[in-house]
Amino acid sequence: MDNPSKIIEDDVEYSLGDFDGTSVLYDFDKILIYLNAKGKLLFGNHFRIYDEDKEIIRKLCHYFIKDLENCKKDDIDPEKGILLSGPVGCGKTALMTLLRHIEPTPRPYEIIACRNIVFSFNHLGFKTIEDYGNTKSFCFDDLGIESPGRFYGKDLNVMGELLLSRYDLYLQSKRRIKTHATTNFSADEMEEFYGNRVRSRMRELFNLIAFDTKAGDKRK
């Protein structure tokens, strides 16, 4: 029987906890060791887990490993997606890329930059909304900094429209198909950019997990 508490990377075996034959008892310290190693493989040897980020990572881990008891303590709804907000360069995209690898389900979400979705809309029109409003799980990266879309002379707030489509999909799907996103924006800035209707849908689509507004730029 496969042991879901073990992951092999570059011929090195990492443990995420203990497997009793039916379920995994996760160990956060072991998960951090794995995430640090996987981060170096994905992003280079300069990557490391910062102490000040561990509380954010802990909440994200509780969500992705479906630790319902701790999700409740964190006020996180496991049925919703994650909206990870924070200043430029604080590591949002890296974390959402990394945490796909500890998900116990075999269908991780695809990460796509919002600006690329708008570029696609500018060429293909509403087919783009249909393509990303489908039954796959996505993480929309850098939500809120994209330009308006334009197709055949008509402007559209593409991501706002797409979030409305994803909300409808979320309501219609029995298994609550997830939408995740990263953003540099605050909730108020989101409302100003997308409008109150989209913002209210976002409250129902996402759990908001936020870095401190003073979090440093790790890319420097």
Side-chain angles (χ1 to χ4, degrees):
M1 179 188 290
D2 289 338
N3 187 337
S5 71
K6 308 291 186 187
I7 296 180
I8 296 175
E9 299 282 358
D10 249 9
D11 296 326
V12 178
E13 183 179 85
Y14 296 90
S15 171
L16 302 183
D18 297 311
F19 181 55
D20 65 5
T22 56
S23 60
V24 177
L25 181 62
Y26 287 95
D27 182 317
F28 183 61
D29 289 332
K30 290 180 179 179
I31 291 175
L32 284 181
I33 291 169
Y34 169 69
L35 291 177
N36 203 53
K38 184 65 175 178
K40 291 184 188 302
L41 290 173
L42 289 174
F43 308 117
N45 285 330
H46 64 280
F47 178 87
R48 67 185 177 92
I49 300 289
Y50 290 79
D51 286 342
E52 61 265 31
D53 295 342
K54 285 182 181 177
E55 191 53 37
I56 292 272
I57 296 171
R58 186 186 298 274
K59 289 180 180 180
L60 290 169
C61 285
H62 290 160
Y63 172 83
F64 282 112
I65 65 175
K66 298 177 173 58
D67 183 338
L68 301 184
E69 185 178 337
N70 277 307
C71 279
K72 189 173 182 180
K73 289 178 185 175
D74 295 333
D75 198 24
I76 290 173
D77 183 344
E79 295 293 312
K80 296 181 181 181
I82 293 291
L83 177 60
L84 187 59
S85 74
V88 172
C90 68
K92 302 180 295 294
T93 306
L95 283 183
M96 292 304 287
T97 301
L98 261 182
L99 285 158
R100 290 187 301 180
H101 297 279
I102 67 164
E103 269 202 293
T105 56
R107 294 177 60 198
Y109 49 88
E110 181 182 340
I111 299 177
I112 181 83
C114 293
R115 66 179 180 277
N116 290 349
I117 296 174
V118 175
F119 290 154
S120 175
F121 175 83
N122 292 345
H123 287 91
L124 301 174
F126 282 90
K127 182 180 183 301
T128 299
I129 306 293
E130 294 171 11
D131 288 346
Y132 290 102
N134 67 21
T135 55
K136 289 176 65 176
S137 289
F138 289 100
C139 176
F140 299 129
D141 195 31
D142 274 340
L143 187 65
I145 67 167
E146 72 278 358
S147 303
R150 191 170 181 82
F151 187 70
Y152 280 101
K154 292 185 178 180
D155 290 338
L156 183 74
N157 188 323
V158 175
M159 290 309 303
E161 198 66 32
L162 183 51
L163 288 171
L164 293 175
S165 292
R166 296 294 299 185
Y167 173 74
D168 290 340
L169 175 68
Y170 171 77
L171 290 184
Q172 293 162 9
S173 59
K174 291 181 181 177
R175 295 181 61 212
R176 296 295 195 200
I177 292 168
K178 303 286 197 309
T179 303
H180 307 298
T182 70
T183 184
N184 304 334
F185 278 18
S186 68
D188 288 343
E189 289 170 323
M190 281 286 186
E191 187 163 329
E192 186 176 337
F193 191 82
Y194 291 113
N196 183 60
R197 180 171 175 237
V198 173
R199 172 62 185 142
S200 68
R201 299 295 188 272
M202 289 175 70
R203 289 190 187 97
E204 297 181 60
L205 265 181
F206 296 120
N207 296 284
L208 176 62
I209 297 180
F211 281 86
D212 191 294
T213 55
K214 297 186 179 70
D217 188 340
K218 297 179 177 70
R219 299 176 299 186
K220 291 181 178 179

Short mmCIF file of all heavy atoms in Angstrom, two decimals, residues 192-220:
data_model
loop_
_atom_site.label_atom_id
_atom_site.label_comp_id
_atom_site.label_asym_id
_atom_site.label_seq_id
_atom_site.Cartn_x
_atom_site.Cartn_y
_atom_site.Cartn_z
N GLU A 192 -13.21 48.66 -4.72
CA GLU A 192 -13.10 49.83 -5.60
C GLU A 192 -12.80 49.40 -7.04
O GLU A 192 -13.32 49.96 -8.00
CB GLU A 192 -12.00 50.76 -5.09
CG GLU A 192 -11.91 52.08 -5.84
CD GLU A 192 -10.86 53.01 -5.24
OE1 GLU A 192 -10.53 52.87 -4.05
OE2 GLU A 192 -10.38 53.89 -5.97
N PHE A 193 -11.96 48.37 -7.18
CA PHE A 193 -11.53 47.92 -8.50
C PHE A 193 -12.61 47.11 -9.22
O PHE A 193 -12.83 47.28 -10.41
CB PHE A 193 -10.25 47.09 -8.37
CG PHE A 193 -9.56 46.80 -9.67
CD1 PHE A 193 -8.72 47.74 -10.25
CD2 PHE A 193 -9.74 45.59 -10.33
CE1 PHE A 193 -8.07 47.48 -11.46
CE2 PHE A 193 -9.11 45.32 -11.53
CZ PHE A 193 -8.27 46.28 -12.09
N TYR A 194 -13.28 46.21 -8.48
CA TYR A 194 -14.22 45.29 -9.11
C TYR A 194 -15.68 45.63 -8.88
O TYR A 194 -16.56 45.09 -9.55
CB TYR A 194 -13.97 43.86 -8.60
CG TYR A 194 -12.67 43.27 -9.08
CD1 TYR A 194 -11.64 43.01 -8.18
CD2 TYR A 194 -12.45 42.98 -10.42
CE1 TYR A 194 -10.43 42.46 -8.61
CE2 TYR A 194 -11.26 42.44 -10.86
CZ TYR A 194 -10.25 42.19 -9.95
OH TYR A 194 -9.07 41.66 -10.39
N GLY A 195 -15.95 46.49 -7.89
CA GLY A 195 -17.34 46.84 -7.60
C GLY A 195 -17.92 45.98 -6.50
O GLY A 195 -17.41 44.89 -6.18
N ASN A 196 -18.98 46.45 -5.91
CA ASN A 196 -19.56 45.81 -4.73
C ASN A 196 -20.12 44.42 -5.04
O ASN A 196 -20.03 43.50 -4.21
CB ASN A 196 -20.68 46.70 -4.16
CG ASN A 196 -21.27 46.11 -2.90
OD1 ASN A 196 -20.56 45.91 -1.93
ND2 ASN A 196 -22.56 45.82 -2.92
N ARG A 197 -20.70 44.24 -6.24
CA ARG A 197 -21.31 42.94 -6.58
C ARG A 197 -20.24 41.84 -6.60
O ARG A 197 -20.43 40.76 -6.03
CB ARG A 197 -22.01 43.03 -7.92
CG ARG A 197 -22.67 41.73 -8.34
CD ARG A 197 -23.54 41.92 -9.57
NE ARG A 197 -24.08 40.67 -10.04
CZ ARG A 197 -23.90 40.20 -11.27
NH1 ARG A 197 -23.20 40.89 -12.15
NH2 ARG A 197 -24.43 39.05 -11.64
N VAL A 198 -19.12 42.11 -7.26
CA VAL A 198 -18.05 41.11 -7.33
C VAL A 198 -17.45 40.90 -5.94
O VAL A 198 -17.19 39.77 -5.54
CB VAL A 198 -16.95 41.55 -8.34
CG1 VAL A 198 -15.75 40.60 -8.27
CG2 VAL A 198 -17.52 41.59 -9.75
N ARG A 199 -17.26 42.00 -5.21
CA ARG A 199 -16.67 41.89 -3.87
C ARG A 199 -17.54 41.01 -2.96
O ARG A 199 -17.03 40.18 -2.21
CB ARG A 199 -16.50 43.29 -3.27
CG ARG A 199 -16.08 43.33 -1.81
CD ARG A 199 -14.73 42.69 -1.58
NE ARG A 199 -14.41 42.63 -0.17
CZ ARG A 199 -13.79 41.62 0.42
NH1 ARG A 199 -13.42 40.57 -0.28
NH2 ARG A 199 -13.53 41.65 1.71
N SER A 200 -18.85 41.14 -3.06
CA SER A 200 -19.73 40.31 -2.21
C SER A 200 -19.64 38.83 -2.60
O SER A 200 -19.69 37.95 -1.74
CB SER A 200 -21.18 40.79 -2.29
OG SER A 200 -21.72 40.55 -3.57
N ARG A 201 -19.47 38.56 -3.90
CA ARG A 201 -19.29 37.17 -4.34
C ARG A 201 -17.95 36.63 -3.86
O ARG A 201 -17.83 35.46 -3.51
CB ARG A 201 -19.34 37.08 -5.88
CG ARG A 201 -20.65 37.54 -6.51
CD ARG A 201 -21.81 36.65 -6.12
NE ARG A 201 -23.01 36.97 -6.85
CZ ARG A 201 -23.91 37.88 -6.49
NH1 ARG A 201 -23.74 38.56 -5.36
NH2 ARG A 201 -24.98 38.11 -7.22
N MET A 202 -16.94 37.51 -3.83
CA MET A 202 -15.61 37.08 -3.39
C MET A 202 -15.64 36.66 -1.92
O MET A 202 -14.93 35.73 -1.53
CB MET A 202 -14.59 38.21 -3.59
CG MET A 202 -14.26 38.46 -5.05
SD MET A 202 -13.17 39.88 -5.29
CE MET A 202 -11.64 39.24 -4.62
N ARG A 203 -16.45 37.31 -1.12
CA ARG A 203 -16.56 36.92 0.29
C ARG A 203 -17.07 35.48 0.43
O ARG A 203 -16.72 34.78 1.37
CB ARG A 203 -17.52 37.86 1.03
CG ARG A 203 -16.97 39.26 1.24
CD ARG A 203 -17.86 40.05 2.20
NE ARG A 203 -17.44 41.43 2.29
CZ ARG A 203 -17.97 42.44 1.62
NH1 ARG A 203 -18.97 42.21 0.78
NH2 ARG A 203 -17.53 43.67 1.76
N GLU A 204 -17.92 35.08 -0.53
CA GLU A 204 -18.47 33.73 -0.49
C GLU A 204 -17.57 32.71 -1.18
O GLU A 204 -17.65 31.52 -0.90
CB GLU A 204 -19.86 33.73 -1.13
CG GLU A 204 -20.86 34.60 -0.38
CD GLU A 204 -22.24 34.56 -1.01
OE1 GLU A 204 -22.81 33.46 -1.08
OE2 GLU A 204 -22.73 35.62 -1.41
N LEU A 205 -16.70 33.19 -2.07
CA LEU A 205 -15.79 32.30 -2.79
C LEU A 205 -14.53 31.98 -2.00
O LEU A 205 -13.97 30.88 -2.11
CB LEU A 205 -15.34 32.96 -4.10
CG LEU A 205 -16.06 32.65 -5.40
CD1 LEU A 205 -15.40 33.42 -6.53
CD2 LEU A 205 -16.06 31.17 -5.71
N PHE A 206 -14.06 32.96 -1.21
CA PHE A 206 -12.71 32.89 -0.65
C PHE A 206 -12.66 32.96 0.87
O PHE A 206 -13.46 33.67 1.50
CB PHE A 206 -11.86 34.06 -1.17
CG PHE A 206 -11.62 34.09 -2.64
CD1 PHE A 206 -12.04 35.17 -3.40
CD2 PHE A 206 -10.95 33.05 -3.28
CE1 PHE A 206 -11.80 35.24 -4.76
CE2 PHE A 206 -10.72 33.10 -4.65
CZ PHE A 206 -11.14 34.19 -5.39
N ASN A 207 -11.67 32.28 1.44
CA ASN A 207 -11.15 32.58 2.77
C ASN A 207 -10.01 33.58 2.58
O ASN A 207 -9.10 33.33 1.78
CB ASN A 207 -10.56 31.32 3.43
CG ASN A 207 -11.58 30.24 3.68
OD1 ASN A 207 -12.37 30.34 4.59
ND2 ASN A 207 -11.55 29.18 2.86
N LEU A 208 -10.05 34.68 3.29
CA LEU A 208 -8.97 35.66 3.18
C LEU A 208 -7.88 35.34 4.19
O LEU A 208 -8.13 35.26 5.39
CB LEU A 208 -9.50 37.08 3.43
CG LEU A 208 -8.44 38.19 3.44
CD1 LEU A 208 -7.73 38.29 2.10
CD2 LEU A 208 -9.05 39.52 3.83
N ILE A 209 -6.67 35.11 3.69
CA ILE A 209 -5.49 34.94 4.54
C ILE A 209 -4.50 36.01 4.12
O ILE A 209 -4.15 36.11 2.94
CB ILE A 209 -4.89 33.53 4.41
CG1 ILE A 209 -5.91 32.48 4.90
CG2 ILE A 209 -3.59 33.42 5.18
CD1 ILE A 209 -5.40 31.06 4.81
N ALA A 210 -4.07 36.83 5.07
CA ALA A 210 -3.30 38.03 4.72
C ALA A 210 -1.96 38.09 5.44
O ALA A 210 -1.87 37.86 6.64
CB ALA A 210 -4.12 39.28 5.06
N PHE A 211 -0.92 38.40 4.67
CA PHE A 211 0.37 38.76 5.25
C PHE A 211 0.25 40.11 5.93
O PHE A 211 -0.63 40.92 5.60
CB PHE A 211 1.43 38.87 4.15
CG PHE A 211 1.99 37.57 3.67
CD1 PHE A 211 1.35 36.85 2.67
CD2 PHE A 211 3.17 37.07 4.19
CE1 PHE A 211 1.87 35.66 2.21
CE2 PHE A 211 3.71 35.89 3.73
CZ PHE A 211 3.06 35.17 2.74
N ASP A 212 1.15 40.37 6.87
CA ASP A 212 1.24 41.70 7.46
C ASP A 212 1.54 42.71 6.35
O ASP A 212 2.33 42.42 5.44
CB ASP A 212 2.37 41.72 8.50
CG ASP A 212 2.36 42.98 9.34
OD1 ASP A 212 2.62 44.07 8.77
OD2 ASP A 212 2.10 42.90 10.56
N THR A 213 0.92 43.87 6.42
CA THR A 213 1.13 44.90 5.38
C THR A 213 2.58 45.38 5.34
O THR A 213 3.02 45.97 4.36
CB THR A 213 0.22 46.10 5.62
OG1 THR A 213 0.41 46.59 6.95
CG2 THR A 213 -1.25 45.72 5.43
N LYS A 214 3.34 45.10 6.42
CA LYS A 214 4.75 45.52 6.47
C LYS A 214 5.69 44.39 6.05
O LYS A 214 6.92 44.51 6.18
CB LYS A 214 5.11 45.99 7.88
CG LYS A 214 4.36 47.21 8.34
CD LYS A 214 4.89 47.70 9.69
CE LYS A 214 4.18 48.95 10.18
NZ LYS A 214 2.77 48.69 10.57
N ALA A 215 5.12 43.27 5.59
CA ALA A 215 5.97 42.14 5.16
C ALA A 215 6.95 42.60 4.09
O ALA A 215 6.59 43.29 3.14
CB ALA A 215 5.10 41.00 4.65
N GLY A 216 8.20 42.19 4.22
CA GLY A 216 9.27 42.65 3.32
C GLY A 216 9.24 41.95 1.96
O GLY A 216 8.61 40.91 1.78
N ASP A 217 9.96 42.55 1.01
CA ASP A 217 10.10 42.00 -0.34
C ASP A 217 11.24 40.99 -0.32
O ASP A 217 12.41 41.36 -0.20
CB ASP A 217 10.37 43.14 -1.32
CG ASP A 217 10.32 42.67 -2.77
OD1 ASP A 217 10.46 41.45 -3.01
OD2 ASP A 217 10.18 43.51 -3.67
N LYS A 218 10.92 39.72 -0.46
CA LYS A 218 11.93 38.65 -0.38
C LYS A 218 12.72 38.53 -1.67
O LYS A 218 13.68 37.73 -1.73
CB LYS A 218 11.24 37.32 -0.04
CG LYS A 218 10.55 37.34 1.32
CD LYS A 218 9.86 36.03 1.62
CE LYS A 218 9.25 36.03 3.00
NZ LYS A 218 8.10 36.92 3.12
N ARG A 219 12.34 39.26 -2.69
CA ARG A 219 13.06 39.16 -3.96
C ARG A 219 14.28 40.06 -3.99
O ARG A 219 15.08 40.01 -4.91
CB ARG A 219 12.12 39.53 -5.12
CG ARG A 219 10.92 38.59 -5.22
CD ARG A 219 9.96 39.00 -6.30
NE ARG A 219 9.42 40.32 -6.05
CZ ARG A 219 8.45 40.88 -6.77
NH1 ARG A 219 7.93 40.22 -7.79
NH2 ARG A 219 8.00 42.07 -6.49
N LYS A 220 14.43 40.93 -2.99
CA LYS A 220 15.56 41.85 -2.98
C LYS A 220 16.82 41.16 -2.45
O LYS A 220 16.74 40.29 -1.61
CB LYS A 220 15.23 43.08 -2.10
CG LYS A 220 14.16 43.95 -2.72
CD LYS A 220 13.87 45.15 -1.83
CE LYS A 220 12.82 46.08 -2.46
NZ LYS A 220 12.50 47.24 -1.60
#
